[in-house]
Amino acid sequence: MEPQQQEIRVDGSVLRRSKRLYYAVNKPIGVVTTNRDPSGRPRVIDLVPQGDEHLYPVGRLDLNSDGLILVTNDGELANRLTHPRFGVPKTYRVMVAGEPSAEVLEKLKQGVHLAEGVARASQVTVLRQHKQSTLVEIVLQEGHNREIRRILARVGHKVLRLTRIAVGPVRLGKLGPGECRRLTGEEVESLRQNRPMRRHPTRRTSGPRRERRR
């Protein structure tokens, strides 16, 4: 029998099954990805509709980074998205100081030694160059803490701005800072299978519109 079809009773009463919820959130800078914060700072889970379900962010984005983070109460999917052995790609737009050379870009793909081991980018693409900075797109399939900032610091380039734009097939799209939307069934299934989708939703499907944080 499938677990979701089983009936669980306690003292004769049927326990209500938690509805699986999945949100995409555009985390602004200054918002934390922990469910409990002693300092009382704004949290990612404050940006999604509140109900009886126990929601939590999938993975992390540090305080000074912004962009896409998923929020759910599906522990199995959360583990699949964060455990390195599943290799779910996360895509970032990163503004770095200076102009990384071809050798530096290759070094990022070959691997940079951190305390936890070797960290590497699966893809690195230069998108745009400015006078004193460069915008690059980096794809990671690992999950070390503050990994992008640390590997770029090791090769001599300070991160000026870091935005996550995709988790697997799910894209940030047109979500504004502080906004959220429900994931579609196709997105959830694509995340489970770690495969591309035929299309990428860009409009908000649910959740209140949030004002930009100043």
Side-chain angles (χ1 to χ4, degrees):
M1 181 179 293
E2 294 294 328
Q4 293 299 318
Q5 297 176 347
Q6 294 181 13
E7 186 177 272
I8 301 175
R9 292 176 176 267
V10 176
D11 295 331
S13 299
V14 178
L15 290 183
R16 182 179 66 87
R17 294 188 180 279
S18 296
K19 179 182 179 181
R20 294 301 186 212
L21 298 173
Y22 309 89
Y23 291 97
V25 181
N26 186 347
K27 183 193 96 65
I29 292 172
V31 174
V32 298
T33 54
T34 55
N35 274 27
R36 296 182 180 180
D37 183 62
S39 300
R41 293 171 295 184
R43 307 167 300 170
V44 166
I45 59 170
D46 297 326
L47 301 176
V48 299
Q50 299 299 308
D52 295 332
E53 317 299 340
H54 178 64
L55 299 171
Y56 43 86
V58 179
R60 65 176 76 87
L61 274 176
D62 66 59
L63 189 68
N64 296 315
S65 300
D66 63 349
L68 179 65
I69 189 161
L70 305 182
V71 174
T72 186
N73 59 350
D74 186 338
E76 180 181 353
L77 180 60
N79 179 65
R80 177 174 291 273
L81 296 177
T82 54
H83 199 289
R85 74 185 178 91
F86 292 106
V88 177
K90 284 85 174 178
T91 308
Y92 302 82
R93 293 279 172 86
V94 189
M95 186 70 74
V96 300
E99 182 179 335
S101 65
E103 290 77 16
V104 164
L105 299 179
E106 184 61 28
K107 176 65 175 175
L108 294 174
K109 290 188 287 185
Q110 291 296 323
V112 176
H113 288 274
L114 301 177
E116 307 94 311
V118 177
R120 58 178 57 86
S122 57
Q123 297 179 41
V124 183
T125 307
V126 174
L127 300 178
R128 192 161 55 248
Q129 291 182 338
H130 304 277
K131 289 183 178 180
Q132 298 180 333
S133 61
T134 304
L135 181 64
V136 297
E137 184 169 293
I138 299 177
V139 180
L140 298 179
Q141 291 179 288
E142 301 165 342
H144 300 305
N145 187 34
R146 296 172 59 87
E147 183 172 5
I148 289 182
R149 294 181 187 275
R150 294 163 65 199
I151 62 176
L152 284 166
R154 287 292 182 92
V155 295
H157 291 276
K158 180 181 180 180
V159 171
L160 305 176
R161 180 72 183 263
L162 191 156
T163 301
R164 183 192 283 162
I165 63 169
V167 174
V170 178
R171 309 287 297 184
L172 181 63
K174 296 181 180 179
L175 277 182
E179 292 181 345
C180 72
R181 66 172 177 83
R182 291 278 291 270
L183 296 188
T184 67
E186 183 186 2
E187 286 177 308
V188 174
E189 185 59 27
S190 295
L191 287 169
R192 292 188 191 282
Q193 301 298 326
N194 192 15
R195 58 174 171 78
M197 296 190 308
R198 294 188 298 274
R199 59 189 179 277
H200 299 297
T202 56
R203 66 182 181 88
R204 295 181 304 276
T205 57
S206 71
R209 181 176 180 82
R210 305 286 178 172
E211 294 183 358
R212 293 180 177 231
R213 297 184 178 272
R214 301 185 183 277

